[in-house]
Amino acid sequence: KQSKNMGYRAKRFGFTEGDLSCPEGRRKLFQIVCQEMPKNVWFSPTCGPWSSWNNLNAAKSVNAFDQIHQQRVQHLYQLALGIVLYRVQISRGQHFHWEQPRRSLMFRTPLLRELYDQTMSATFDMCRVGQLRDPENQLLMQKGLEVRTTCHELYTQLHGRYCRHD
């Protein structure tokens, strides 16, 4: 939506377009990626199992740890999908961007070492980038994000734009 508002072309592939936990959904996504060969792919997998809240909850008990670990295991297909999309974009000389909340543990898993080694980490707050607002009171919301990106221009536009608390 933001890209289109700025006059760029963009196509969203969300749950309504296809369920990426199923082979048919992934097939549909890759048909689009292969046919349209986008210059940029923005990937935003489920953050819940990797969130700072779940990390805190996992420390409460062995049972809580097991439940959150199981959630992470169930979402490993998303990490594999992200790596494949990253490799497709890199092989074409195009860009790839992977978004997560700043305190997410997803980027800390050794499974994403390739991504971590080959991308730049742009960290910023949504009150400064995107003007994120609370839907009830319309006040700006800080929400920190980290985007692993292959695009230096995007990195320089996003990185370091933190909340000024004003």
Side-chain angles (χ1 to χ4, degrees):
K1 184 177 177 182
Q2 289 292 77
S3 294
K4 287 184 177 185
N5 287 345
M6 296 175 67
Y8 296 106
R9 289 183 312 123
K11 180 179 277 193
R12 176 178 171 80
F13 193 96
F15 193 74
T16 55
E17 289 76 26
D19 181 355
L20 296 177
S21 69
C22 300
E24 183 55 38
R26 293 189 295 269
R27 186 174 11 255
K28 188 175 178 184
L29 172 64
F30 278 99
Q31 283 175 336
I32 292 169
V33 169
C34 291
Q35 289 172 356
E36 298 185 15
M37 300 195 322
K39 291 181 182 177
N40 293 276
V41 168
W42 190 282
F43 186 61
S44 184
T46 304
C47 60
W50 310 92
S51 73
S52 58
W53 283 110
N54 267 343
N55 192 41
L56 182 64
N57 289 333
K60 290 182 178 179
S61 71
V62 172
N63 187 42
F65 176 86
D66 288 342
Q67 287 178 336
I68 291 165
H69 177 71
Q70 188 57 38
Q71 289 175 10
R72 290 177 182 168
V73 168
Q74 290 171 350
H75 286 85
L76 286 178
Y77 76 90
Q78 292 182 352
L79 278 61
L81 176 61
I83 289 294
V84 172
L85 287 168
Y86 161 77
R87 289 176 179 171
V88 166
Q89 287 299 100
I90 293 304
S91 72
R92 294 178 174 165
Q94 304 294 359
H95 290 294
F96 182 78
H97 323 282
W98 188 323
E99 170 190 329
Q100 279 290 288
R102 188 163 49 234
R103 291 184 184 95
S104 169
L105 295 179
M106 185 180 286
F107 291 141
R108 307 307 174 252
T109 176
L111 299 171
L112 297 181
R113 184 69 186 197
E114 175 182 354
L115 179 83
Y116 201 82
D117 288 346
Q118 301 299 318
T119 59
M120 297 164 276
S121 173
T123 57
F124 55 94
D125 291 326
M126 290 298 294
C127 57
R128 295 284 314 278
V129 176
Q131 300 288 306
L132 180 66
R133 294 186 181 274
D134 183 302
E136 292 183 19
N137 61 27
Q138 294 304 306
L139 293 175
L140 289 170
M141 293 174 56
Q142 185 175 2
K143 189 178 181 182
L145 286 183
E146 178 177 5
V147 174
R148 302 296 312 186
T149 182
T150 60
C151 179
H152 189 265
E153 182 180 354
L154 181 72
Y155 169 80
T156 58
Q157 290 176 3
L158 296 177
H159 185 64
R161 295 183 63 189
Y162 301 118
C163 186
R164 294 182 293 205
H165 305 287
D166 59 357

